[in-house]
Amino acid sequence: STEAHEVFEARELLEPRTAHAAALKAQQSDITLLTSHISQEHAALDAGERGRALYLSGQFHLEIARIADNKTITDMVKVLVARSSLIIALYWQRESAICESKAHHALIEAIAKGDAGRSQELMQSHLVDLHSALNLHKMPAAVNNLKQILMG
């Protein structure tokens, strides 16, 4: 689906930028919050609660946008994360679309060190990986139009 690709392309444009800014602005309290997000995501995965893990993963990305402190971009990321969570749920190819905790760990480390360049690169490759984990050529059964569900 073209729409699905566009959502991820938009995230790939915006979120590496937010990760870069977050690395320059993050306080210790922000790092603590991000770390607790990962623990909750792990716990949800271990409990087989994929929907909750997916939700928490989205929240992790929103927290990074919040730390970056650009309200306009944060609002855009919020919309994109909500749409991509639905896309991920529909087009799931492999479990690793959610088992992204390694990517999230690496991101937290780079942000905690204030390494903006590395944070940007990690976010970029993480989103590209997520995008490629989805089988967007195969329409899910009973779904003819993504917009119908998204706007429905």
Side-chain angles (χ1 to χ4, degrees):
S1 154
T2 310
E3 288 168 76
H5 280 300
E6 286 173 2
V7 168
F8 279 92
E9 274 173 23
R11 289 189 66 180
E12 286 159 25
L13 280 172
L14 287 173
E15 290 191 69
R17 182 81 176 258
T18 66
H20 186 282
L24 301 176
K25 296 181 181 181
Q27 306 296 308
Q28 187 50 52
S29 57
D30 296 319
I31 302 303
T32 306
L33 188 66
L34 289 174
T35 307
S36 88
H37 253 287
I38 286 193
S39 309
Q40 291 177 56
E41 205 180 320
H42 268 299
L45 278 174
D46 291 344
E49 297 172 359
R50 286 168 63 167
R52 179 164 165 70
L54 184 55
Y55 169 77
L56 288 166
S57 172
Q59 293 303 300
F60 178 87
H61 285 260
L62 287 181
E63 286 301 336
I64 290 175
R66 178 192 59 76
I67 296 162
D69 200 25
N70 177 325
K71 190 181 175 333
T72 304
I73 291 180
T74 302
D75 289 345
M76 293 169 84
V77 169
K78 203 171 277 184
V79 171
L80 292 167
V81 163
R83 290 182 68 175
S84 55
S85 292
L86 183 54
I87 292 162
I88 290 167
L90 286 174
Y91 292 94
W92 220 302
Q93 256 302 76
R94 55 179 202 249
E95 196 67 28
S96 65
I98 209 165
C99 290
E100 54 195 18
S101 51
K102 281 194 187 69
H104 283 180
H105 269 300
L107 255 171
I108 289 181
E109 278 172 25
I111 290 171
K113 284 181 190 150
D115 189 337
R118 179 93 181 113
S119 300
Q120 182 167 342
E121 281 166 26
L122 286 166
M123 180 65 90
Q124 179 77 37
S125 61
H126 170 44
L127 289 169
V128 169
D129 284 350
L130 253 183
H131 193 169
S132 67
L134 302 171
N135 183 0
L136 296 175
H137 304 296
K138 194 179 106 243
M139 257 317 210
V143 176
N144 303 318
N145 183 350
L146 193 56
K147 193 171 265 159
Q148 256 176 320
I149 318 171
L150 292 169
M151 306 307 170

